[in-house]
Amino acid sequence: MSRLTALAAALLRAGRGRLFPVVLLAIAAGLLHNIERTPLHNLQAGQFDRYQRLQPRQRENEPVIVVGIDSQSLVAHGQWPWPRDLVARLLTRIQAGEPLAVGLDFVFAERDQHAPELIARRLPGSAHLLHGLPDPDAVLAEVVGRAPTTLAVVGLSRELPGARKPLHPLPAVTMDPAATTALPHFASALASRPELQAAAGSEGFINATPDNLASHGERGILRRVPTLAFIHDQPYLSLPLEMVRQALGGGQVAVDQGSAGMRGIRIGDYHLPTQANGELLLHFGKSSANYYLSAADVLAGVHPPEIFASRFVIVGFNSIGLQDRVISPLGDSLPGVDIHAQVIESLLEQTALRRPHWMPLVEMSALLFGGLLLIAAVPALRPRYAVFTFAGLSLSLVSSGYLAFLAGRWLFDGPSLSVLLAPVFMALLGSTLIAADARRREAERQLQSSREEAARVAGELDAARKIQMGLLPDPEKCFAGEARFAIGAVLEPARAVGGDYYDCFMLDRQRLCIAIGDVSGKGVPASLFMAISKTLGGTLARRHDDLAAAVHDIERELSRENPAYLFVTAFIAILDVESGTLDYVCAGHDAPMLKRGADILRIDTDTIAGPPLCALGDYPYIAGRCTLSPGDLLCLFTDGVSEAGDGGELFGTQRLADCLATLPDNSPSQQCALIRDAVRRFEAGAAPADDLTLLLLRWNGPLSGY
């Protein structure tokens, strides 16, 4: 019974110790769901950058050449913006090599200030000198129209002076209207001059926003670029993707979409996975100067035109003074034009980072599973094993992220999950350490108390044992000469005194009362309560003809003065020794076994069983009835028999049934001794866990003339 009490207390303490970690796990789940609004977002983005630094994209081929307006070019040809006829000369040099497509990463929004008309306005006396000179914008437009050229467009959130609508939207793109709402929409745009727009083959937007703007004025890191946007409700590709489309003949663009929005974009036979809002998670490669050419060198004819053959050429800024630089996840400070080159390379290689819309659900599942695993395991483990468990779980989550990236460029955020689980683990570990310290202090207190009382109790226990054992009847003496039945009993306390008892006495010449009980706890308190229970049971059983009413009175009397809140399980029965009728009441006790011939049965107590005495205080017990057959052997026992152990297994009721089945036809007293010896052999020298009590009753049947 003490084991049941200890188990109940342990479960109660465990429930209190796990409540706070469960609350922390719920908070962690909320933070993960809204991670973009928490500082963990920077941790997540930084981890994704580490994946790329671990394995950057290999840039083995160089399909793109960047012609940069660099410091050398500005020294050679003056400050930007250059005259349009100079840009036309640069494009003519490039077109001579027959590139696949040319992209201009800047916008010619205003007229060239070197136009003869504008110079004449500033210098009225020079009009006759400028007459007949070509307009630089017209010269540039004529050169742009010679080969596939894509002009840059900057999307604007609202109308601004000088804004101009692009002229070359994509052919019809089939998309679910619900999916288009997640894409960038611009009310207006900053585009090049109309004559340049008319001459160009296409236009592509160059908007890109860094993922996060750091504090203290630091520049943000660019991790993603848009692929498709709407300007004036017309679809446009980004500049590098539009260049590829032009190189492939200007066909239609296919959009892969799902319930959450865009999943990918396809241009010809090339496909790239995207986010739901159409953004491309760019897998960066290490920067290289191999594919950068100075515009000054190209104009000077340093490089042969063949270098541009069958390549994409992007003309853009490559000078710190022109402020077109971004920070990549690899830590490189790159000119913006390099991003366009890497987008084209990614499309041709059909590779990009993958973080589909269901990845946060996978992370949430991993967080909840890991948290529940910790909540279930940590309180049951020793502190050092608990630390190893959390370390192993964290290592598994972090390693899963790296493995997912290496396997398929999947972005799984393991470190953030480990950080979110850390408070849950610390709360669990703290609760475990507090409980362990409390148990240690309690053990020390009990040890000190037991040492102080050991000497005094040692002598008293001897006397108490003799008194307790003297209270129990000796069946062989009490029923000497009785032929209708035979009784044997044995009681061995686990300590000097115990809480088990048995009783057997005649109510009259025809009725025999037998009882067995087990008081909660052990030692002196249990032995005192045992003595009271046995005495009350015998007294009240003699006063009542109704067994159920007698047991009800026993419980009421025991509950009246019970400051220690002890309780007792009991099985009390009255046997009519003439008819074999057995009336019985079961108060939370194990059902007795019945040996009938070769069969081992259990007395049916399921329908009438009540709680232990003193458990509820005023329970209306019900009596059951069965009929014994001549030769039946009834076995009453306490849990000191069924729960005896060898350090691993319990003796159990099945072994007890096997013992009963193989008993020789001896007296019940000898049979009790045989069962007790079998239990002790099974314990293999281990200390008894509880008091052992057995009572065997054999009913021989009525005797004629008795």
Side-chain angles (χ1 to χ4, degrees), residues 320-572:
I320 296 178
L322 295 177
Q323 295 297 317
D324 183 26
R325 302 190 74 82
V326 296
I327 306 298
S328 77
L330 304 182
D332 299 327
S333 176
L334 303 175
V337 69
D338 192 276
I339 305 302
H340 301 320
Q342 299 222 29
V343 171
I344 293 176
E345 292 172 1
S346 297
L347 177 62
L348 298 181
E349 296 171 9
Q350 303 189 76
T351 179
L353 305 183
R354 300 171 182 267
R355 186 168 172 80
H357 67 91
W358 45 260
M359 186 62 78
L361 297 178
V362 174
E363 294 171 348
M364 181 66 73
S365 300
L367 175 73
L368 295 177
F369 175 79
L372 294 176
L373 176 63
L374 291 176
I375 290 172
V378 169
L381 298 173
R382 293 183 178 180
R384 62 175 177 272
Y385 296 137
V387 171
F388 291 150
T389 299
F390 177 69
L393 177 61
S394 299
L395 181 61
S396 298
L397 291 172
V398 174
S399 300
S400 297
Y402 282 99
L403 291 175
F405 184 83
L406 295 176
R409 305 300 179 264
W410 302 99
L411 295 180
F412 176 80
D413 184 15
S416 294
L417 302 184
S418 299
V419 171
L420 290 171
L421 288 175
V424 178
F425 169 70
M426 288 187 289
L428 288 167
L429 184 61
S431 177
T432 301
L433 292 175
I434 291 172
D437 184 65
R439 288 194 298 269
R440 180 186 61 80
R441 292 177 180 272
E442 178 63 19
E444 290 177 351
R445 187 192 65 79
Q446 292 179 355
L447 178 60
Q448 181 63 25
S449 177
S450 64
R451 285 173 177 174
E452 292 174 354
E453 296 183 6
R456 179 177 57 83
V457 171
E460 295 177 355
L461 288 178
D462 256 353
R465 179 183 179 88
K466 292 177 182 178
I467 295 172
Q468 182 183 26
M469 300 306 291
L471 293 175
L472 301 175
D474 184 350
E476 291 186 346
K477 292 181 179 179
C478 294
F479 303 106
E482 177 63 62
R484 294 171 295 180
F485 61 87
I487 298 179
V490 62
L491 189 154
E492 291 187 354
R495 301 180 183 176
V497 290
D500 283 8
Y501 74 89
Y502 68 86
D503 205 355
C504 52
F505 54 89
M506 297 296 296
L507 296 175
D508 52 39
R509 290 183 56 81
Q510 190 171 335
R511 294 183 302 155
L512 168 67
C513 181
I514 58 174
I516 192 169
D518 183 358
V519 178
S520 61
K522 297 181 181 66
V524 174
S527 69
L528 294 175
F529 204 72
M530 160 264 179
I532 297 172
S533 302
K534 177 186 176 300
T535 303
L536 280 175
T539 301
L540 295 176
R542 289 182 173 90
R543 292 182 182 177
H544 285 273
D545 292 331
D546 185 346
L547 179 59
V551 175
H552 181 263
D553 284 351
I554 293 171
E555 181 191 41
R556 190 163 51 191
E557 290 298 322
L558 288 174
S559 300
R560 187 171 58 179
E561 297 293 340
N562 185 15
Y565 299 102
L566 297 175
F567 59 87
V568 56
T569 66
F571 183 86
I572 304 174

Side-chain angles (χ1 to χ4, degrees), residues 577-648:
V577 298
E578 290 295 331
S579 65
T581 300
L582 183 72
D583 295 316
Y584 55 88
V585 171
C586 181
H589 202 81
D590 287 331
M593 291 187 176
L594 179 65
K595 180 179 181 182
R596 176 170 290 169
D599 297 329
I600 304 298
L601 312 174
R602 294 297 290 269
I603 296 296
D604 181 14
T605 61
D606 293 341
T607 57
I608 58 93
L613 301 176
C614 301
L616 297 181
D618 192 23
Y619 184 80
Y621 290 93
I622 302 173
R625 173 173 288 185
C626 66
T627 302
L628 302 184
S629 300
D632 281 356
L633 180 66
L634 185 65
C635 175
L636 281 61
F637 60 94
T638 61
D639 55 8
V641 177
S642 57
E643 295 184 8
D646 61 353

Side-chain angles (χ1 to χ4, degrees), residues 38-48 50 413 415-417 419:
T38 70
L40 286 175
H41 180 59
N42 290 335
L43 174 65
Q44 182 186 78
Q47 181 62 22
F48 293 164
R50 279 187 286 275
D413 184 15
S416 294
L417 302 184
V419 171

